[in-house]
Amino acid sequence: MAYKILTTSSSFGKVDPAPLALLEAEGFEVTVNPYGRKLSVEESKEILKDYDGLIAGTESLNAAVLGSAENLKYLCRLGAGMDNVDFEAAKQLNITVENTPSAHVDGVAELTLGGILSCLRSIANAYTNITNGIWEKPMGSLLKGKTVGIIGLGRVGCRLVELLAPFKVKVLAFDLYQNTEFAEKHNVSFVGMDELISTSDIITIHTPYSPEAKHMVNAEFLGKAKANLCLVNASRGGLVDEAALLDFLSVNPAASAYLDTFEEEPYSGPLSKMKNCTLTPHIGSYASEVRINMEMEAAQNVINFFKK
């Protein structure tokens, strides 16, 4: 009997069919997301009933969804973030849960650097002006010599430090689990959160989402920041209080923000109207090399689980 595998990431196999071919060559019966988008809870509950394995995207995999998946034995989250998975429910249902924790690192780190540069030089806004017939030269600032505060010095945060090295920036970091060996090698200074907020010209977030971390960037946080702060979040939606950020950007026109993730996606809120805010539709892992690596890793995880 062939095991039935569902992939719910809307882009699975589109950049390169190799991950699908690998699974099929190993005898798996693979179905790709029939909706071509993020599934709702009700859609997930309906579609998951008949599958043995799931390669998941960012859809909610709560207790109700997992409980409806009568045959599900294995779940691989495509990417690193696991906040959409109810681990307690998975444990009770004997569903093994894994992810692909490393493949996305270069993609998110490079996108973060691009977001920082876009904010500092108003690249996105200048482009929008030209497309609207406005020839206006925004006065930006250099990344060179700035103080960059990194919240979360994990895989992505460390890779960002390496990418920042040629710009000769000062790097501060806050992390509950300090990688002191890396920090010493790359001249990163661990500081308290308040010091990082008040002294950084640029703050970029690279922490997992959890209920405790919800709206960690809020009005109180932003009240301690510089009036010309550049804030970047290419980590997880919900870490930033979007209403508080809107107020901050409105009161401080010299400030800027780049967001790739949002509390509710797709996002269509008021930040999209702000000239000093650049938004992208959760594309951190959307580089062809990254997608192929992630999908091949997920496919191999499925094979390893069912063939062991």
Side-chain angles (χ1 to χ4, degrees):
M1 181 192 75
Y3 290 110
K4 298 177 69 175
I5 308 299
L6 174 68
T7 69
T8 52
S9 170
S10 59
S11 63
F12 195 91
K14 289 185 177 179
V15 174
D16 189 320
L20 292 172
L22 176 62
L23 288 168
E24 290 167 356
E26 291 288 336
F28 293 94
E29 183 181 325
V30 185
T31 302
V32 298
N33 184 334
Y35 297 94
R37 55 166 172 75
K38 181 177 177 179
L39 302 183
S40 69
V41 167
E42 291 305 314
E43 289 166 345
S44 294
K45 287 168 64 177
E46 179 62 31
I47 199 172
L48 272 173
K49 290 179 180 178
D50 300 324
Y51 290 94
D52 303 293
L54 170 65
I55 297 176
T58 58
E59 69 275 5
S60 176
L61 297 169
N62 58 24
V65 171
L66 296 178
S68 70
E70 300 168 0
N71 299 323
L72 194 65
K73 306 170 188 66
Y74 178 78
L75 186 168
C76 181
R77 164 76 172 91
L78 192 66
M82 303 283 273
D83 50 278
N84 61 321
V85 180
D86 187 326
F87 278 91
E88 187 59 35
K91 182 178 179 181
Q92 292 176 1
L93 294 164
N94 293 316
I95 300 170
T96 298
V97 180
E98 292 184 308
N99 64 348
T100 58
S102 301
H104 70 294
V105 169
D106 284 325
V108 177
E110 289 187 12
L111 185 69
T112 298
L113 178 58
I116 292 170
L117 292 169
S118 182
C119 285
L120 294 180
R121 299 302 299 272
S122 298
I123 294 172
N125 187 49
Y127 166 76
T128 301
N129 281 342
I130 288 181
T131 60
N132 290 327
I134 302 170
W135 186 264
E136 184 179 279
K137 298 181 181 182
M139 183 60 70
S141 60
L142 295 178
L143 175 53
K144 181 180 180 180
K146 294 291 190 295
T147 298
V148 180
I150 299 177
I151 300 176
L153 197 66
R155 291 182 178 91
V156 175
C158 287
R159 181 64 183 131
L160 179 62
V161 170
E162 293 171 345
L163 294 176
L164 287 169
F167 294 94
K168 302 187 185 307
V169 296
K170 178 180 180 181
V171 181
L172 308 178
F174 175 85
D175 200 309
L176 297 177
Y177 306 98
Q178 297 183 358
N179 186 342
T180 54
E181 182 179 351
F182 178 90
E184 290 172 3
K185 181 179 178 181
H186 294 275
N187 297 315
V188 176
S189 300
F190 282 108
V191 296
M193 183 67 87
D194 284 352
E195 182 178 348
L196 183 145
I197 296 169
S198 62
T199 59
S200 295
D201 303 299
I202 299 151
I203 296 177
T204 179
I205 306 167
H206 301 286
T207 61
Y209 177 84
S210 66
E212 296 75 25
K214 181 177 181 179
H215 292 178
M216 64 182 293
V217 178
N218 51 27
E220 181 182 1
F221 180 110
L222 293 168
K224 301 172 184 176
K226 293 183 177 182
N228 62 346
L229 172 70
C230 167
L231 176 72
V232 176
N233 182 22
S235 181
R236 303 298 289 173
L239 296 173
V240 175
D241 182 336
E242 292 160 6
L245 178 60
L246 178 68
D247 290 342
F248 178 76
L249 294 175
S250 299
V251 174
N252 299 288
S256 59
Y258 168 63
L259 303 180
D260 183 53
T261 58
F262 305 89
E263 198 155 4
E264 295 292 335
E265 296 180 0
Y267 178 82
S268 59
L271 286 170
S272 61
K273 307 300 182 185
M274 299 296 292
K275 288 187 175 182
N276 53 346
C277 190
T278 300
L279 312 178
T280 50
H282 204 151
I283 59 171
S285 66
Y286 272 61
S288 58
E289 301 90 343
V290 171
R291 296 305 296 185
I292 293 167
N293 289 340
M294 286 174 62
E295 292 172 10
M296 289 297 287
E297 185 177 346
Q300 192 60 58
N301 284 350
V302 169
I303 294 166
N304 292 344
F305 176 81
F306 284 101
K307 299 287 186 173
K308 64 186 177 182

